[in-house]
Amino acid sequence: MKSKFRKASDRRVAVFVAEGLEEVEALTQVDLLFRAGIPCDLISITDDLEIQSSHDVLISCKYSINDSKFDFDDYDVLFLPGGIPGANNLAACEPLLDALRRFVELGAGRGAEGKQVAAICAAPAILAEAGLLKGRRATANPGFQSKLFEGGAIVVADASVVEDDNIITSQGMGTAIDMGLCLVNRILGEESVKHVCSGIVWNR
């Protein structure tokens, strides 16, 4: 079947997939970015390209991080979905952690224009434990906000999405659309957000 994807940006998003992820948090980003015309790939952190979610849904990925065709630097945004044990598996992936640290450093001070890192639900705790949220505003699933405090973050407990320079965090499955729209806005702007909202019948 021919894809209906109409590319509107050269900026690319990588969504990292680990066994036990929360599938809605990942696939909502893929859906909204597709609608906006922003290239987005599902990337497995293991050699397997078919990954089982925390709710027994099989997710097919385009690349493995171990694939010779995959390069973190081909992407502008690295996105981490939550889910348990998915987030724990992401946290144990050293190449991914190295890339997250590098992206935060490379994009510092450039906001939406530079390299960016985004995480939702339990995944912001990965950033906190990696020392990337010290002094930064952030949010997470309420059950993981203590991890952000421990990592030195300024926790915005009730926010759906929090943007602090080149780090974007969100609370969970119920805020996944808000997160996706935030990414669309950062990459393409408000008009694209309005277009996507109209297509999904979403009242902001």
Side-chain angles (χ1 to χ4, degrees):
M1 185 175 70
K2 187 176 181 180
S3 172
K4 296 180 181 179
F5 180 72
R6 296 181 180 180
K7 185 178 176 182
S9 174
D10 289 329
R11 293 172 68 78
R12 300 177 67 194
V13 178
V15 174
F16 292 93
V17 178
E19 194 81 13
L21 81 154
E22 209 305 323
E23 66 274 7
V24 173
E25 293 168 359
L27 296 180
T28 298
Q29 312 311 307
V30 176
D31 182 293
L32 297 179
L33 294 167
F34 183 96
R35 290 170 184 269
I38 299 168
C40 177
D41 294 325
L42 289 163
I43 311 296
S44 169
I45 65 165
T46 70
D47 289 334
D48 295 326
L49 293 182
E50 194 169 76
I51 305 296
Q52 191 167 22
S53 80
S54 59
H55 302 116
D56 296 332
V57 176
L58 292 178
I59 306 293
S60 294
C61 299
K62 184 170 185 178
Y63 298 118
S64 159
I65 63 168
N66 300 319
D67 192 320
S68 61
K69 296 178 182 178
F70 174 75
D71 187 339
F72 286 102
D73 290 326
D74 288 339
Y75 297 89
D76 301 279
V77 182
L78 307 183
F79 179 85
L80 309 181
I84 297 296
N88 296 336
N89 290 329
L90 291 175
C93 180
E94 288 298 332
L96 176 58
L97 293 179
D98 289 343
L100 293 169
R101 295 185 184 101
R102 190 160 51 81
F103 267 52
V104 170
E105 182 179 356
L106 285 172
R110 298 191 63 199
E113 300 301 317
K115 296 289 189 183
Q116 301 171 58
V117 168
I120 191 169
C121 193
I126 299 170
L127 306 181
E129 291 169 354
L132 300 177
L133 295 183
K134 291 179 181 177
R136 306 287 288 265
R137 296 170 67 254
T139 194
N141 181 284
F144 291 86
Q145 290 179 4
S146 63
K147 297 286 188 182
L148 274 58
F149 277 114
E150 292 167 8
I154 301 166
V155 178
V156 187
D158 297 328
S160 172
V161 179
V162 175
E163 302 173 69
D164 190 314
D165 193 15
N166 63 334
I167 297 179
I168 310 101
T169 52
S170 187
Q171 289 201 35
M173 189 190 83
T175 62
I177 290 179
D178 290 336
M179 170 63 104
L181 294 175
C182 176
L183 295 179
V184 171
N185 185 52
R186 289 175 72 91
I187 295 171
L188 286 177
E190 184 63 27
E191 286 304 310
S192 290
V193 172
K194 291 178 181 177
H195 171 75
V196 172
C197 285
S198 175
I200 65 172
V201 196
W202 183 256
N203 297 315
R204 296 171 73 206

